[in-house]
Amino acid sequence: MLSRFAPSPSGRMHLGNVYSALISWLSARSQGGEWILRIEDLDPQRCKREYAEQLEDDLRWLGLEWDAGGVEDPEYVQSQRYDIYEVYLKRLADLGLTYPCYCSRADILATQAPHESDGRIVYQGTCRPDGTRAKQEWLAQRAAACPHAPAIRLQVPDRDIQFIDLHYGKQHVNLAQSCGDFILRRSDGAWAYQLAVVVDDALMGVTEVVRGRDLLLSVPQQLYLYELLGFQAPTFAHIPLLCNESGQRLCKRDLSLHMGILRSRYTAPELLGHIAYYGGLLPEPVPTSAQDLLPYFNWAKIPTNDIIVPSV
Ligand code: GLU
């Protein structure tokens, strides 16, 4: 089996990112599987190579070694894989399921993984062709008036997509109602997270995806892409989010529990002991190594409710 950690290098990792990395690493290693590191730097405005280097340093410090990938290997860096995404976009276009979208409404968030707290906009299908001449003419006018290249959207079906999350159980989502036709490429040419993540997970042979539960809602979009592209979907296991004492999900802008601060106050074994304790794996926060946590790893111990972590 093969699992992966797929961070966006848009800032220093916080404890929640470390928890995701640790659980996916433990899940892979406890099954004798491999663990790869993919750098998801699709957003040129927010992602920096130095953040990727820093997160690799943080992972090494924690003892979470990866078998392949990282910023030095262009095969595993999304900004080096645009030609590949182009091929798969064309496949979807050949199925007649994509269309240009001229809406000026911000598609800016499309390269980012849509974490639940970001809110969701259901696209109403304004630019979706409906086969009528009137709409075709109206779209041609919009195209002529559009000052930039169009975004590309994928038509979604109005039916339930069902799946079983290894940790959160049975789920079903209707894409037409939950998000509408979604973006595959932004109007500025940037590739959308949903397409890139599916193409990469499939081509890299990922068989298990472990990540924060704020991406649970992305699974149906991803499964739909797996289906259209004829790829075998991995299993999905989402994990609870880490929150600060006021109950807010940790984010990279919030510096209270980021790795810079944590590394100045704790040794790696102390920090791993704390995460393992808060994350349900250890009954007490005793210093440990990632390797020594392997016998304690069991999905049944991981909570489903979000985890509040006191600030240091
Ligand atoms: N790159 C995404 C993030 O850092 C994670 C994507 C994923 O694991 O599917 O939020």
Side-chain angles (χ1 to χ4, degrees):
M1 67 82 66
L2 191 139
S3 194
R4 50 47 157 203
F5 182 49
S8 301
S10 58
R12 192 81 188 248
M13 283 205 291
H14 56 63
L15 205 59
N17 306 128
V18 174
Y19 185 55
S20 290
L22 176 66
I23 301 299
S24 78
W25 186 91
L26 287 170
S27 180
R29 297 301 188 219
S30 64
Q31 298 173 71
E34 283 180 62
W35 194 66
I36 60 169
L37 175 62
R38 182 171 68 237
I39 305 298
E40 300 210 328
D41 58 346
L42 290 176
D43 188 338
Q45 263 102 50
R46 295 171 69 242
C47 296
K48 292 202 178 86
R49 188 186 162 98
E50 67 194 73
Y51 290 138
E53 286 167 354
Q54 213 168 37
L55 77 84
E56 291 191 356
D57 188 59
D58 288 337
L59 290 175
R60 284 199 192 93
W61 183 81
L62 288 160
L64 300 177
E65 293 292 337
W66 52 97
D67 300 298
V71 74
E72 296 298 337
D73 187 343
E75 288 284 301
Y76 292 85
V77 178
Q78 289 191 325
S79 61
Q80 308 297 312
R81 297 174 57 79
Y82 295 167
D83 293 352
I84 300 175
Y85 307 141
E86 193 81 55
V87 170
Y88 290 94
L89 176 68
K90 179 152 189 321
R91 283 208 193 160
L92 296 168
D94 289 346
L95 294 173
L97 290 172
T98 65
Y99 61 87
C101 172
Y102 308 99
C103 295
S104 58
R105 194 153 51 100
D107 42 19
I108 292 161
L109 289 175
T111 54
Q112 293 169 36
H115 296 283
E116 204 173 75
S117 59
D118 296 339
R120 291 206 133 204
I121 300 163
V122 181
Y123 182 65
Q124 301 299 332
T126 316
C127 290
R128 186 202 268 222
D130 62 8
T132 65
R133 198 186 167 114
K135 181 100 184 219
Q136 211 178 336
E137 282 169 7
W138 182 79
L139 287 172
Q141 278 165 19
R142 276 175 74 84
C146 184
H148 46 73
I152 306 292
R153 285 189 188 266
L154 179 70
Q155 290 190 32
V156 300
D158 187 5
R159 64 167 155 92
D160 261 8
I161 294 187
Q162 303 193 354
F163 65 98
I164 295 175
D165 182 83
L166 215 67
H167 196 48
Y168 285 91
K170 209 167 170 182
Q171 314 283 322
H172 62 96
V173 175
N174 178 312
L175 287 177
Q177 286 159 20
S178 71
C179 68
D181 297 343
F182 60 89
I183 289 185
L184 299 173
R185 195 169 64 194
R186 289 194 325 202
S187 59
D188 64 0
W191 292 98
Y193 159 73
Q194 304 292 6
L195 178 67
V197 80
V198 167
V199 168
D200 286 353
D201 280 337
L203 297 187
M204 291 173 190
V206 169
T207 58
E208 181 185 271
V209 169
V210 175
R211 60 187 176 196
R213 68 150 187 87
D214 50 347
L215 289 170
L216 190 56
L217 270 181
S218 286
V219 176
Q221 275 155 279
Q222 295 172 11
L223 285 176
Y224 180 49
L225 285 167
Y226 276 100
E227 185 187 312
L228 294 178
L229 293 171
F231 291 139
Q232 167 83 35
T235 54
F236 291 95
H238 288 77
I239 58 174
L241 304 179
L242 265 54
C243 300
N244 62 23
E245 280 159 315
S246 9
Q248 289 153 335
R249 172 171 77 90
L250 299 185
C251 67
K252 288 182 181 137
R253 291 180 296 274
D254 170 7
L255 301 183
S256 59
L257 287 168
H258 84 78
M259 282 301 278
I261 305 233
L262 294 167
R263 280 180 66 166
S264 71
R265 307 216 172 142
Y266 295 99
T267 62
E270 283 168 347
L271 186 60
L272 285 165
H274 269 91
I275 307 173
Y277 168 68
Y278 285 109
L281 295 180
L282 288 182
E284 282 170 287
V286 288
T288 182
S289 68
Q291 199 69 35
D292 287 345
L293 281 172
L294 277 170
Y296 295 91
F297 177 72
N298 179 344
W299 278 104
K301 289 186 184 169
I302 312 272
T304 47
N305 290 334
D306 288 347
I307 300 167
I308 308 245
V309 189
S311 40
V312 287

